[in-house]
Amino acid sequence: MIKVFLSWIALCVLGVSVGVAQTISGKVHNTAGEPISNAQILLKDSVSAFQFKEFFFATNGAYSFQPKQAYPNLVVEINAMGYKKAHFVVAPYQHTQTYTHDFVLEIETESLGEVVVTASKRYEQREDTISYNVSAYRDGTEKKIEDIIKKLPGIEVNDRTGQIKYNGKPVETVNLDGDNLFDKSYAIGTRNIDVDMVEQVQALENYSENPLLKGVESGEKVALNLVLKKTGIKFSGSAEVGLGAFASDRLQRATDFSSNVLGITQKFKGFATLSHNNIGTNNTPYDYAGYSVADEVSQNPAMYAPHYIPDTYFSVGIDAKRNNFNNTLFNSVNMLFKPSKRLSVKVNLLYLHDKITSEQFSQNDFSFNNEVFSTSDRLSIRKTPNRYIGKLELKYTLSSKSMIEYHGSYDVENIRTSTEVLQNNTNLYSTRLQSDARLLRQALIYTYRLSKNKAIQLTATHILHKTPQEYLFLPAIYEAQTYSANNQTSAFEKNYTEIKAQLLGKIEKEGENGRVIMPNRDKNKYDLSVVAIRQVSNFNTDLWGDLAQGAQAIPSFRNRGLYKRYTAYANTGYKWVLGRWVIQPSAKASVMQQGVQDFVTAQDYAITQFIFEPMLNLR
């Protein structure tokens, strides 16, 4: 049976999503009426706020921009070297209103004794790249390059995971001297590379890792690049050791050890790090103290098998270093070989072992009719994650117009979590959660540059993901009179295959003699893709009850399911920049066949659908 689905009747021809952001503009002059050539515009949500939300540049004495975020109150602050800071406040800020404000900056003067002045340029902008000089942002407290990145205007860093955003956009990767050494696990580099090794941090907009897609890809990706100091040394390294003791009833040693090795030659680039600490510091790209899902899994849920039984979240509303203890051993080796001009080989190896503990105690004292009584809860959490990751990437340039790539990875994860709750020093409740994961991912990519303005890409992807879990809770919750404990098991497996063909391009208008009169590479881009997907998911669960003679399955809580989905779709999109407007129409037509087999009830369900999804985005 074929059905046609449309979100609204009004979208029979086109679905529309509109967001209007008005302009804030003005002039920047000094008291003599002269335009100030370079000034920085910082957007904050209050005058006293330390962090900036967005930043822009004023050039040749004028500025004009559109805020990318919503603000209840907006503070526009301007900085220019040699002049006093100035700002104006919009309260409340109306995003549908246009604001104009001219700045007149006063020269900053200060009486000093005899001093020696040295100056370094803080940043430099060239087209899509802003280069920040690391030395201009240092105050001597920084150890790793992440400490500097946190200080750069327009950049936000997640303290738990190390994920970075630039002007509100997630950073795709962090390169090392132009090479993507760390892939999406770039926190390995930012959290472990010594700040003394880096000369500049570059922010790259309209980023394309594949050089054959540069200029035609319309994803608006953002990346960072770490420019290393040119010391002439091919290999360098460092090590830091910190020792101490925790003040407690029994003496416990506090350890913080980190080391790294960096190697760079004409055909090789590598970075390795080994660290161990038990003081609550996270030098890894994973947040096991919290409950976070890897970005790749959260952004592509259809491709991966999640854990259905949630893990324990370590949080009592204070800093992680103050509410838990860890015992982290982390090792990562990242190597990029270029044996020839055509071939590059990248290998990433990672090992992580940790023991995270948290102790929380709460007591409430009550007084009623001259009677005093207390209630208390003591919560103890122990989590032991182990992770092993191996990645292989091969890139071979067939010609100046074509390239083939292979990406393969194998990820093994084991997490053991135990929780104990003691109520009123009498009732003890405990749980044991065992979560495993096995992920095999492979992708083969072929790219061909048809012309200056067009390229095609063919991609074949296969993912096999298994996430078995066991959850034991004692005493039993279900039929506690019969069973001493319950055990919930879950076995989820997903097999995903995708074949994709994509045409990407841009349109440039030419005048006489072939001269480009509309050269902006972000204007008038299009893409057309045809995709076929096969997805098979197995899901089995059981609830067990523990008896003196052994475990017994409870039939009413058994699930045995098989889900299959076959999808074929064509998608087309166009990006048109008209003045300050960005217009992006797109349409997707797909045929989807889905089927579910319930082996417990011996029932099958199947449906075939035709789906048409038009969309128009304006901003």
Side-chain angles (χ1 to χ4, degrees), residues 283-466:
N283 296 322
T284 79
Y286 305 104
D287 175 27
Y288 284 107
Y291 178 66
S292 63
V293 181
D295 281 350
E296 192 171 10
V297 177
S298 62
Q299 294 171 7
N300 305 283
M303 296 182 178
Y304 299 94
H307 282 132
Y308 276 112
I309 303 175
D311 210 335
T312 304
Y313 185 75
F314 284 69
S315 177
V316 291
I318 59 177
D319 183 82
K321 290 186 178 181
R322 298 179 181 270
N323 72 57
N324 69 75
F325 292 97
N326 69 324
N327 195 347
T328 306
L329 176 62
F330 177 64
N331 179 222
S332 176
V333 178
N334 309 271
M335 298 176 290
L336 179 65
F337 303 91
K338 295 183 179 180
S340 68
K341 293 183 178 180
R342 292 178 176 267
L343 177 64
S344 71
V345 181
K346 183 171 70 175
V347 177
N348 302 96
L349 303 174
L350 180 147
Y351 169 71
L352 185 152
H353 171 76
D354 205 350
K355 293 180 180 179
I356 308 171
T357 65
S358 177
E359 299 286 345
Q360 302 174 28
F361 177 77
S362 62
Q363 178 174 313
N364 297 299
D365 297 321
F366 301 92
S367 177
F368 182 73
N369 289 337
N370 296 323
E371 293 185 8
V372 178
F373 64 95
S374 300
T375 63
S376 65
D377 289 296
R378 183 180 296 276
L379 174 63
S380 300
I381 306 173
R382 304 284 187 273
K383 180 188 284 189
T384 306
N386 288 279
R387 195 158 191 175
Y388 310 83
I389 298 178
K391 295 183 179 181
L392 174 64
E393 177 185 284
L394 304 174
K395 291 185 179 181
Y396 187 75
T397 302
L398 301 171
S399 68
S400 61
K401 294 183 177 182
S402 60
M403 180 173 67
I404 190 168
E405 307 171 54
Y406 170 79
H407 301 260
S409 64
Y410 188 61
D411 187 340
V412 179
E413 182 184 57
N414 311 108
I415 306 175
R416 306 293 181 266
T417 306
S418 63
T419 304
E420 291 186 351
V421 179
L422 180 63
Q423 290 185 337
N424 302 322
N425 295 319
T426 304
N427 301 319
L428 179 63
Y429 302 91
S430 63
T431 65
R432 303 288 186 272
L433 176 61
Q434 177 176 323
S435 299
D436 298 326
R438 302 288 186 274
L439 172 61
L440 174 64
R441 190 182 191 279
Q442 299 182 91
L444 189 64
I445 305 171
Y446 173 75
T447 308
Y448 184 78
R449 188 78 179 220
L450 295 169
S451 65
K452 174 186 175 183
N453 297 328
K454 286 185 290 187
I456 60 171
Q457 190 172 69
L458 306 176
T459 306
T461 304
H462 176 253
I463 297 173
L464 179 61
H465 198 192
K466 300 180 180 181

Side-chain angles (χ1 to χ4, degrees), residues 109-115 117:
T109 59
E110 186 174 353
S111 299
L112 299 173
E114 184 178 353
V115 295
V117 179

Side-chain angles (χ1 to χ4, degrees), residues 554-565:
I554 303 174
S556 58
F557 286 88
R558 171 171 293 180
N559 291 288
R560 297 287 186 273
L562 177 65
Y563 171 74
K564 294 182 179 181
R565 185 174 73 181

Side-chain angles (χ1 to χ4, degrees), residues 157-265:
V157 181
N158 187 309
D159 288 332
R160 282 189 172 272
T161 64
Q163 299 300 305
I164 304 172
K165 287 185 177 181
Y166 174 73
N167 276 348
K169 296 180 182 179
V171 168
E172 188 77 9
T173 187
V174 176
N175 293 338
L176 197 63
D177 266 349
D179 289 316
N180 182 5
L181 188 62
F182 306 107
D183 202 35
K184 293 185 180 297
S185 302
Y186 54 76
I188 295 173
T190 57
R191 287 185 160 178
N192 293 283
I193 292 178
D194 289 344
V195 67
D196 294 327
M197 297 181 177
V198 183
E199 182 176 355
Q200 287 185 339
V201 177
Q202 296 179 332
L204 314 174
E205 294 190 285
N206 299 307
Y207 171 74
S208 294
E209 182 182 354
N210 190 329
L212 297 178
L213 299 182
K214 182 66 175 177
V216 297
E217 197 173 22
S218 59
E220 299 182 357
K221 297 178 182 178
V222 176
L224 298 184
N225 180 47
L226 306 181
V227 180
L228 301 177
K229 293 180 179 178
K230 304 300 184 286
T231 62
I233 301 175
K234 294 183 178 180
F235 291 91
S236 62
S238 65
E240 296 181 2
V241 180
L243 297 174
F246 293 107
S248 59
D249 295 338
R250 59 185 182 87
L251 187 63
Q252 184 181 359
R253 185 175 62 187
T255 305
D256 185 15
F257 166 77
S258 65
S259 63
N260 58 65
V261 177
L262 177 68
I264 296 179
T265 66

